[in-house]
């Protein structure tokens, strides 16, 4: 989840499958190519929610431990959604942390 925009795979083309279908591309503001470290920074707020699932597979104690992780991840995802809609450039928290933005492309 966190490295999806930094994978150097021909079919991925440095973007997630959803971005490819929507003809969007994440780019770095400094002009450098997207890499794994930038992708992790960019997707960390969204991936935080997924960490809860790692604990969820542990019976009882894992379920208890995952509850606050899901809560924090849910809040982060809500903030991300609000920022995409309200930010003039459409940049979410992850984009601001990583110095990236998503642009429309012809391909």
């Amino acid at each position: 989840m966190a490295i999806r925009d930094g994978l150097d795979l021909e079919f991925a083309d440095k973007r997630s499958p959803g971005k490819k279908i929507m003809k969007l591309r994440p780019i770095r503001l400094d002009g450098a190519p997207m890499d794994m470290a930038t992708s992790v920074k960019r997707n960390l707020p969204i991936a935080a929610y997924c960490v809860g699932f790692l604990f969820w597979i542990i019976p009882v104690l894992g379920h208890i431990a995952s509850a606050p992780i899901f809560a924090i991840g849910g809040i982060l995802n809500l903030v991300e959604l609000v920022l995409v809609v309200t930010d003039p450039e459409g940049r979410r928290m992850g984009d601001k942390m990583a110095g990236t933005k998503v642009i429309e492309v012809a391909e």
Side-chain angles (χ1 to χ4, degrees):
M1 177 84 172
I3 62 172
R4 64 184 178 201
D5 297 327
L7 292 175
D8 196 15
L9 303 172
E10 187 175 332
F11 71 89
D13 193 27
K14 299 274 189 179
R15 54 187 165 165
S16 67
K19 282 187 193 66
K20 193 164 187 160
I21 292 168
M22 299 296 295
K23 297 183 181 178
L24 301 172
R25 178 179 299 282
I27 61 164
R28 290 176 49 170
L29 296 178
D30 63 5
M34 187 65 82
D35 60 3
M36 295 274 244
T38 304
S39 182
V40 168
K41 285 182 207 171
R42 183 177 183 281
N43 293 308
L44 197 57
I46 294 172
Y49 186 81
C50 297
V51 172
F53 289 108
L54 296 175
F55 288 97
W56 187 256
I57 60 173
I58 303 168
V60 184
L61 292 177
H63 295 188
I64 294 167
S66 65
I69 296 170
F70 283 136
I72 292 166
I75 291 167
L76 285 173
N77 282 313
L78 184 60
V79 168
E80 293 279 85
L81 176 66
V82 169
L83 282 174
V84 165
V85 174
T86 61
D87 187 80
E89 295 183 307
R91 292 178 66 208
R92 56 185 182 81
M93 185 172 36
D95 285 321
K96 292 176 183 181
M97 288 173 20
T100 61
K101 69 178 180 178
V102 177
I103 60 169
E104 291 185 37
V105 292
E107 51 193 70

